[in-house]
Structures are given as structure tokens and as C-alpha cells.
Amino acid sequence: MSEKSGPHVHGNPGGAAASDVLVVGGGIIGLVTAWRAAQRGLAVTVVDPEPGGGAARVAAGMLAAVTELHYGEEALLALNLESARRYPDFAAELTEATGLGLGYRRCGTLAVALDADDRAHLRELHALQLRSGLESEWLTGRECRRLEPMLAPGVRGGLRVDGDHQIDPRRLATALVLACERAGVLFHRTWAARLDTAGGRAVGVTGEDGTVLRTPRVVLAGGSTSGRLTGVPEEVLPPVRPVKGQVLRLTVPPRYAPFLSRTVRAVVRGGHVYLVPRENGELVVGATTEEQGWDTTVTAGGVYELLRDAHELVPGITELPLTETGAGLRPGSPDNAPLLGPSGLEGLLLATGHHRNGVLLTPVTGDVMADLLTGAEPPEAARPFTPARFASAVTADSPTLEHSA
Ligand code: GLY
């Protein structure tokens, strides 16, 4: 192959690499990994055709460690709380680095019940929250409506959780792109076509544009697509699948403000519905949970369900302009928790599988991945999330999170 027609190679394949780390995926998880790694002095390249895209373009941005607590997920709770604890400083630092607001709103959340079944479910959740040492207060329906007068008269009770906040994921993604640029991160704007391996380890990535990028370490942070990057040995591919979520955006005209002063959520007919009011008047209504493969169609049924359930909670929403509909793909993992750390292939690390908690887990993920990439000790709460817990994803003798980097 002549030099002209051959692949464009970044870094000397036989010697020095162009970057210390290649991050595959420029969603919020890849970006925060790149930003934090660059801040620690590493030369980082992000491979993504549109950095700042991905599921964060659709997500509502609830930081719901307490209200999205589930039985059997104590370790995930600890990681979620660790990330929530880091959020104020993380948001302040990101704003300082970029001059951009993030819509980080410490507004709290009210989870309400519409009927006796919902109330029983919420009582169980409340008991679990209290057993887990979390702050959550039971309110009567009247007390709920006193806090949020737009709630339906039929609301039977609720949980006031003042520690579950929100951020605007689009603004977060935009700020992370700028922070990366300012920290010296390079962007290679193409899809990663293939992971390249040699001698039993990852050595780089080939882009869809034919560019060959060489590096000693690759971080796979491709969200829901992480489980299908060509070239990753089958036993190493993370067990991540797409979980579709349809989301609506409405606008609260100034004459209706404040429509809601905090996030309001409920489980209606077994499905989660939440209304997230932004300071700028946007009201985000989410989300369906659908196992539909790679389909991101916004369906009449999805929009109907969300509006129906949201209307039961807050009847006044039918007055609001519906300004946007969308569907995104959560990176679901078998235990609903992320995979953070070395894979079974030397030189390949994973930062994926964040499922319903990608926005919440952004700060701690950046810190954990930067720790792993620089040989520092990651926080205790991250230890259970080594990819090695999935036997099929990682070979038995693969390194643990403690022995990485
Ligand atoms: N954490 C909200 C969702 O995934 O829908």
C-alpha cells in the first residue's frame, strides 16, 4: 500500500504513542474520564464523531440516589451517594473551568403516590431508605400539595427527599467538551471502527475514517454501544445492552411559573414517571423503560403513556406547550451498575454500563478512571464495580480494580 493511500497513523506504531490514553466515546462518561485524566497530566484523545452527544442529550438529569433506591443495590447506593457528595465541588469546578452554567439545581425531590398500591410501594421504599440511613420524610397528600400546589387533589401521600437534586445534562455535556479542550484533550471526530490488539493487548483504535491511533491504554466509554466494538475479544466485551427511554420536553410560560419547584415523581401502573422543572422554564417529563434493541423511535404510545401518567400527577401540564420529544439508550448492565476498571484485555479499561445513573455517576466516574489511569487508589465505593464481577466479560485471572493502572 502506498503511503498516500495507506491509513493515517497517529503515533509511531513501533514506539512512542500520540496519546497516553484513547477514550472511545465522547458522551459525558468518556468526557469526564478524559477531562480528569488530562488534569492529571496525561495526553488524552477522545474518539467520537460528535463529542457531547449520546444519552445525555435526552436524559432528564435527576440526581436521584435516594428516590431511585432499589432492594439489593446497597453497593450501588454507596457509589451513587459518593458521586452525589462530589457534585457541588464538581459542578463549581466545571463552571469555573468553562464559564458555563450547568443548570445544577439543589431543589430536592418529591415522590408521590396516587393510589393505595402506589402508597404501599412508597411506604416500602421509605422503610428501605430509613434502614439505609437516608434522609426521607413521609408526607400526607395535603402536605405534598402544600409544597407543590399543582399536584393532583388525589395524591395520597409522598416522600420528601431534599437531597436528590438535578442538573441539565446537555449543559453538562457542553461544558465537559469545553473543559476537555481547555485541558488539552484532543478530539478525533469519527466513530471508532475497531479496537486494535497486538501481542495479547490493546494497542489503539482504528477510526471509521481509516485513521490508526496508537496508545498504550484505551478506555471504552461508548455507552450502550460499548458491547459491540469490533476487535474486542468476545469474552472481554462488556455485557451492556441498550435500554430505551422516551422523554418529553415542555415549556412553562412565565405566567405559570413557578409551575413546580422541585422534581416530582411517581410510579404509575408500574412505570416510573418524573417531572423535572428547570430554572429556565423547561419541564422534562420522563421516561419509558423499553427493551427494544437499538430502536430510538419516538412512538405515539410512549408519548401517550408519559402524558397520561404525568397528567394524573399534575393535571395542569396539558396547558403547557410540548416543545420536544426524544428517545435515548441507557447502557444497561446485568446488575444495573457500571463497569469501571480494567477489562480482561491488557491495555483496555471500561467505563460503561451506568444504566439509569450516568448523570449522577459522572463526577465519581471521572475520578475513579483518572485514579486507575495514574496508579492512584480509587475510592472505596468503586471497588465492587470492577468488570471482573462478570465472569463472561472478563477472564478469571484478569486484574482487579485494586491492581490496575
Ligand atoms: N434515571 C432516570 C432514568 O433512567 O430514566
Side-chain angles (χ1 to χ4, degrees):
M1 197 181 277
S2 78
E3 215 181 296
K4 251 187 173 168
S5 62
H8 184 192
V9 178
H10 281 237
N12 173 2
S19 299
D20 299 316
V21 182
L22 277 178
V23 178
V24 175
I28 52 175
I29 296 301
L31 290 171
V32 77
T33 298
W35 182 42
R36 289 311 201 191
Q39 284 180 317
R40 303 228 195 150
L42 297 178
V44 185
T45 298
V46 173
V47 185
D48 192 298
E50 268 183 73
R57 304 305 305 175
V58 178
M62 286 182 301
L63 308 175
V66 178
T67 43
E68 288 207 356
L69 176 63
H70 290 99
Y71 282 105
E73 294 186 354
E74 290 78 12
L76 180 57
L77 171 67
L79 188 69
N80 285 342
L81 290 174
E82 181 65 38
S83 205
R85 197 181 59 71
R86 289 169 192 236
Y87 240 105
D89 287 349
F90 169 80
E93 186 183 346
L94 188 53
T95 290
E96 193 179 322
T98 60
L100 298 175
L102 310 173
Y104 179 47
R105 194 172 176 198
R106 301 171 84 167
C107 57
T109 295
L110 185 64
V112 301
L114 286 167
D115 61 24
D117 284 349
D118 298 344
R119 192 165 56 179
H121 165 84
L122 222 49
R123 284 281 191 198
E124 288 294 315
L125 175 62
H126 190 219
L128 179 62
Q129 289 168 335
L130 297 184
R131 278 202 304 281
S132 306
L134 302 171
E135 281 185 31
S136 171
E137 183 189 358
W138 182 264
L139 302 183
T140 64
R142 183 174 297 188
E143 287 168 333
C144 290
R145 281 187 298 280
R146 202 173 299 139
L147 277 184
E148 295 295 342
M150 296 304 286
L151 280 175
V155 163
R156 308 277 290 264
L159 294 176
R160 176 178 178 165
V161 177
D162 286 343
D164 276 2
H165 303 309
Q166 61 152 301
I167 195 163
D168 184 335
R170 292 178 177 175
R171 297 172 80 183
L172 172 63
T174 301
L176 281 170
V177 172
L178 183 58
C180 280
E181 283 169 355
R182 291 191 171 168
V185 172
L186 301 177
F187 287 99
H188 195 78
R189 287 179 162 80
T190 189
W191 290 110
R194 179 179 81 228
L195 179 81
D196 296 321
T197 58
R201 59 165 298 136
V203 295
V205 164
T206 298
E208 273 193 352
D209 61 357
T211 304
V212 175
L213 299 153
R214 286 287 167 259
T215 181
R217 276 164 313 169
V218 176
V219 176
L220 178 51
S224 58
T225 67
S226 302
R228 62 175 197 179
L229 179 62
T230 302
V232 179
E234 187 141 352
E235 67 281 8
V236 173
L237 273 175
V240 171
R241 69 185 195 285
V243 181
K244 179 179 173 182
Q246 300 190 49
V247 174
L248 315 177
R249 284 174 161 79
L250 296 87
T251 303
V252 178
R255 67 180 182 284
Y256 291 143
F259 190 77
L260 295 174
S261 60
R262 74 203 69 222
T263 296
V264 170
R265 58 183 302 152
V267 176
V268 184
R269 283 175 281 271
H272 291 271
V273 63
Y274 43 79
L275 292 86
V276 182
R278 305 241 193 270
E279 263 158 3
N280 65 4
E282 186 177 73
L283 181 68
V284 185
V285 178
T288 63
T289 301
E290 303 168 66
E291 302 277 354
Q292 303 269 14
W294 302 101
D295 172 54
T296 52
T297 311
V298 175
T299 63
V303 174
Y304 165 72
E305 256 177 50
L306 290 171
L307 286 177
R308 179 196 62 196
D309 295 350
H311 175 254
E312 280 188 35
L313 270 188
V314 180
I317 62 152
T318 49
E319 302 293 320
L320 306 180
L322 173 62
T323 39
E324 196 184 319
T325 60
L329 299 174
R330 305 174 183 91
S333 77
D335 59 4
N336 300 327
L339 292 85
L340 304 174
S343 73
L345 180 69
E346 210 185 320
L348 177 68
L349 293 90
L350 306 178
T352 187
H354 292 70
H355 199 213
R356 302 183 72 91
N357 294 304
V359 181
L360 171 60
L361 289 174
T362 294
V364 79
T365 297
D367 294 343
V368 168
M369 296 312 294
D371 286 341
L372 293 170
L373 290 164
T374 56
E377 190 69 21
E380 186 69 30
R383 286 178 192 269
F385 301 102
T386 169
R389 72 188 186 278
F390 296 114
S392 61
V394 181
T395 52
D397 61 350
S398 66
T400 64
L401 196 145
E402 296 97 293
H403 301 115
S404 61

